[in-house]
Amino acid sequence: MTKKNAKPVKTARKGKIDYKDWLKKKGGAVGLNIIRYALILCIGYIILLPILEMISTAIMSPEEVGSPVSEWVPSEFSVEHIVVAFKLINYPSSVAYTLFTTALQVVLQVFSAAISGYAFARVRSKKIQAMFIVVILTIIVPQSVILLPQYIYFRNFDILGIVKLLTGSQINLLGKPIVLYLLDFCGMGLRAGLYIYIFRQFFRGLPYSLEEAAYVDGSGFIRTLFKIALPNATPSIITVTVLSFVWNWNDTFYTNRFVGNELNLMVRLNKVAAAMGNMLQALGRKIPDGYYFEYNDPLYQASVLSTASLLVILPLIILYSFIQKQFVESASNSGMGGQ
């Protein structure tokens, strides 16, 4: 019921627009978009600037390096920097070796992280859940803290005294790629704690009804993991695969200290950077005349090193250009937001 003396409410005419209110709302949205795109452009510039400088240096003639006239676009194109860097880092063999070892490391890390993450997400045991603190510590604690114990262990490798009992002495695994494979398989590889966390968060968000149906059909823990859980964990698998591949490809911490194989791209790049002058001089005797080859010129050395760095990250750029959409979608659905 309404009061008899109530005043009627005035209504705006149909079709009439409040321009002040419209401009206020529209102006705020436009201002927000301007700030958003300005931030994106600034961040993109910061990220892309080093790569653009590498590309410019790679195709620049050695005589033009350092010239303010042709800082970005060279007046004369040359592939000398590319050819010299290609030979210095022994590119074909190094890429093949690094691609093989990195791919194997990725498989081992995805396998160990998936099993560990599923156990932490589904096993209802206080002891198992307490062990997850160790996983968090592997993310927080710097790698250098546990470097010495790991070095000593692999220098005198043994498993519960079995190796010494069978062979009569312990085994020195240093300098062999199997060190990296053992670390990855045991969940102690590069950034392994983060990968376990990603899988754990995803499996915690997986409906229990799927696994309960598998248990009713007679599936055990392991079979449920491989038949039910992992096929649904595609977002986490893609995310961990890409992150593991990029970080292991660029790794110098483990490869330099435990393996040191010069066929590894990063190890080779570090060696070239440490002895650039001598390596250029040795290479100059093998390459025909017509190249610049100023061994002691710091600008020339920096240009060749910059080009070598570009060649090292080139496979990663190509990889990401093909899978960027899948990676972004998988990262957003991998469960990293928590439960």
Side-chain angles (χ1 to χ4, degrees):
M1 297 178 66
T2 59
K3 296 181 178 180
K4 294 181 179 179
N5 58 351
K7 295 181 180 180
V9 179
K10 294 182 179 181
T11 57
R13 291 184 303 172
K14 293 182 178 181
K16 187 177 180 180
I17 301 175
D18 190 345
Y19 288 101
K20 291 183 178 180
D21 185 60
W22 182 83
L23 287 174
K24 184 178 179 180
K25 294 181 179 179
K26 194 69 175 178
V30 171
L32 186 61
N33 286 332
I34 291 175
I35 295 174
R36 183 186 296 115
Y37 286 116
L39 286 174
I40 293 174
L41 288 174
C42 291
I43 296 174
Y45 175 78
I46 294 173
I47 295 174
L48 293 177
L49 179 61
I51 298 178
L52 295 176
E53 288 181 342
M54 288 180 182
I55 295 175
S56 176
T57 302
I59 61 176
M60 186 179 294
S61 174
E63 290 83 356
E64 290 186 282
V65 175
S67 173
V69 179
S70 56
E71 183 176 357
W72 285 101
V73 181
S75 59
E76 181 181 352
F77 292 93
S78 174
V79 295
E80 177 171 340
H81 292 150
I82 298 176
V83 172
V84 173
F86 195 89
K87 293 182 177 296
L88 279 179
I89 61 177
N90 193 14
Y91 196 64
S93 300
S94 298
V95 165
Y97 174 83
T98 308
L99 184 62
F100 172 77
T101 56
T102 303
L104 185 54
Q105 286 183 265
V106 169
V107 172
L108 294 173
Q109 284 197 315
V110 171
F111 178 78
S112 63
I115 294 178
S116 303
Y118 187 71
F120 286 123
R122 288 297 191 248
V123 176
R124 300 178 183 272
S125 170
K126 293 183 179 180
K127 295 181 180 179
I128 295 294
Q129 296 305 319
M131 289 178 61
F132 188 68
I133 300 176
V134 180
V135 176
I136 300 300
L137 287 176
T138 61
I139 303 175
I140 300 174
V141 175
Q143 298 169 335
S144 56
V145 174
I146 59 175
L147 173 63
L148 183 58
Q150 287 179 333
Y151 187 91
I152 296 175
Y153 177 71
F154 288 116
R155 175 65 179 80
N156 305 290
F157 181 76
D158 200 351
I159 302 176
L160 302 176
I162 298 176
V163 175
K164 187 174 182 179
L165 180 64
L166 296 176
T167 63
S169 62
Q170 297 168 326
I171 302 175
N172 181 12
L173 295 182
L174 296 178
K176 302 177 178 63
I178 193 174
V179 174
L180 302 180
Y181 305 150
L182 286 173
L183 287 172
D184 295 329
F185 181 75
C186 296
M188 286 299 296
L190 187 65
R191 306 289 193 276
L194 177 61
Y195 306 148
I196 295 173
Y197 177 79
I198 292 175
F199 275 108
R200 173 183 178 268
Q201 293 303 100
F202 178 84
F203 288 134
R204 287 186 65 187
L206 200 66
Y208 279 96
S209 57
L210 295 174
E211 295 157 287
E212 289 172 352
Y215 293 146
V216 170
D217 291 338
S219 297
F221 184 85
I222 300 298
R223 186 177 179 183
T224 303
L225 168 62
F226 287 99
K227 295 292 185 179
I228 303 298
L230 281 182
N232 288 282
T234 303
S236 294
I237 293 174
I238 294 177
T239 302
V240 171
T241 298
V242 174
L243 293 178
S244 176
F245 187 90
V246 172
W247 282 331
N248 281 295
W249 183 276
N250 293 321
D251 175 49
T252 58
F253 185 83
Y254 285 119
T255 52
N256 278 327
R257 288 157 182 80
F258 293 142
V259 182
N261 194 321
E262 290 188 8
L263 283 176
N264 183 278
L265 270 176
M266 293 304 300
V267 174
R268 183 69 180 176
L269 181 65
N270 289 336
K271 182 179 179 180
V272 169
M276 175 65 75
N278 294 333
M279 296 189 74
L280 282 175
Q281 190 171 7
L283 183 63
R285 303 190 188 100
K286 301 177 183 179
I287 292 184
D289 296 336
Y291 286 84
Y292 189 73
F293 270 111
E294 289 292 336
Y295 314 121
N296 299 321
D297 185 356
L299 290 178
Y300 182 72
Q301 293 182 6
S303 301
V304 173
L305 184 60
S306 173
T307 306
S309 301
L310 177 63
L311 292 176
V312 170
I313 66 174
L314 183 61
L316 300 180
I317 296 175
I318 296 174
L319 172 67
Y320 187 74
S321 64
F322 282 103
I323 64 169
Q324 56 177 327
K325 181 179 179 181
Q326 292 83 354
F327 174 69
V328 173
E329 292 177 352
S330 299
S332 61
N333 298 323
S334 61
M336 292 184 67
Q339 296 292 334

